[in-house]
């Protein structure tokens, strides 16, 4: 399998994972019909990638140039709708799907941005956008605080994974190895945030009377 085909396979796996996560999260937060569940699954799965492609000037976005992105995202939404009774009984299914989607999109989004000709720093930022964009759009649509603002580590793991995938090959070694290492770093940090409560440092605003002391 060529590097291009492997990148596409990882991207589609991320689409499926995020579609399942988006649909299941939406059903947990609000009451939706079949169309609503599938729509939010699709938005979660391809929203970040579409935002990335628009910023890169890759129009129409990849999700609209081919059939397999939308088909994979729709399949994930349908699986979540009809199989949610089974999926929700699994051990931490939302964490699994969310972590998979976040990790895979961070590295594939960054690599796609690099191939489009942007610099390493811009590629890292676009990898992070690819990873968190769809989930943020979903949260806005169901009127909840976006995950990236909820206090747990979300954007930071995505940026870390993208940075490893982008900067690692410059130190030597195969791109695939560094991409997998980036996905692993993102997954480990995200899982630690959820399971162990890791958080980014918070700014502490002192009261005016405390500043005078």
């Amino acid at each position: 399998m060529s590097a291009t085909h492997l990148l596409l396979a990882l991207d589609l796996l991320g689409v499926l994972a995020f579609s399942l996560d988006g649909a299941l999260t939406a059903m947990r937060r609000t009451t939706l019909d079949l169309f609503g569940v599938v729509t939010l699954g699709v938005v979660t799965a391809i929203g970040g990638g579409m935002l990335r492609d628009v910023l890169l000037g890759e129009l129409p976005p990849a999700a609209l140039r081919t059939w397999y992105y939308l088909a994979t995202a729709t399949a994930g939404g349908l699986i979540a709708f009809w199989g949610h009774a089974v999926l929700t009984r699994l051990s931490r299914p939302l964490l699994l799907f969310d972590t998979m989607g976040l990790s895979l999109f961070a590295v594939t989004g960054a690599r796609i941005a690099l191939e489009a000709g942007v610099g390493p720093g811009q590629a890292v930022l676009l990898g992070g956008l690819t990873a968190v964009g769809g989930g943020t759009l979903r949260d806005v649509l169901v009127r909840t605080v976006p995950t990236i603002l909820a206090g747990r580590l979300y954007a930071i793991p995505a940026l870390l994974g993208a940075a490893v995938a982008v900067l690692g090959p410059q130190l030597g070694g195969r791109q695939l190895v560094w991409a997998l290492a980036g996905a692993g770093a993102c997954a480990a940090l995200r899982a630690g945030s959820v399971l162990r409560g890791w958080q980014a440092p918070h700014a502490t605003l002192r009261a005016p009377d405390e500043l005078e002391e």
Side-chain angles (χ1 to χ4, degrees):
M1 180 182 292
S2 67
T4 300
H5 289 155
L6 183 58
L7 185 67
L8 175 61
L10 292 175
D11 210 22
L12 291 177
L13 182 59
V15 167
L16 180 62
F18 254 164
S19 180
L20 287 165
D21 170 62
L24 289 171
T25 300
M27 284 190 288
R28 186 181 64 178
R29 294 179 180 176
T30 187
T31 302
L32 298 169
D33 60 9
L34 174 62
F35 179 77
V37 170
V38 173
T39 297
L40 288 175
V42 170
V43 167
T44 307
I46 67 175
M50 292 183 70
L51 290 173
R52 177 202 63 222
D53 289 347
V54 169
L55 291 175
L56 289 173
E58 299 287 338
L59 300 174
L64 301 182
R65 291 198 307 268
T66 60
W67 62 269
Y68 37 79
Y69 281 101
L70 280 174
T72 303
T74 301
L78 291 172
I79 292 171
F81 183 84
W82 296 113
H84 69 275
V86 174
L87 291 173
T88 52
R89 285 199 294 266
L90 299 177
S91 176
R92 300 185 182 273
L94 291 180
L95 172 61
L96 173 63
F97 298 138
D98 177 73
T99 301
M100 285 180 58
L102 189 76
S103 304
L104 293 172
F105 273 9
V107 298
T108 59
R111 295 305 311 177
I112 289 171
L114 274 181
E115 293 178 0
V118 304
Q122 296 91 324
V124 171
L125 291 176
L126 289 172
L129 175 64
T130 306
V132 306
T136 301
L137 291 173
R138 175 205 62 210
D139 292 341
V140 170
L141 289 173
V142 297
R143 294 184 294 181
T144 61
V145 177
T147 305
I148 59 172
L149 303 177
R152 293 289 176 83
L153 295 176
Y154 199 68
I156 291 176
L159 292 171
L160 173 63
V164 172
V166 168
L167 302 177
Q170 298 183 20
L171 302 176
R174 298 179 58 186
Q175 291 183 358
L176 175 59
V177 174
W178 284 108
L180 294 176
C186 176
L189 190 56
R190 173 58 181 161
S193 172
V194 175
L195 298 177
R196 297 188 175 275
W198 296 347
Q199 297 186 12
H202 287 68
T204 302
L205 183 61
R206 299 179 63 183
D209 56 342
E210 294 178 344
L211 295 176
E212 296 174 358
E213 295 179 356

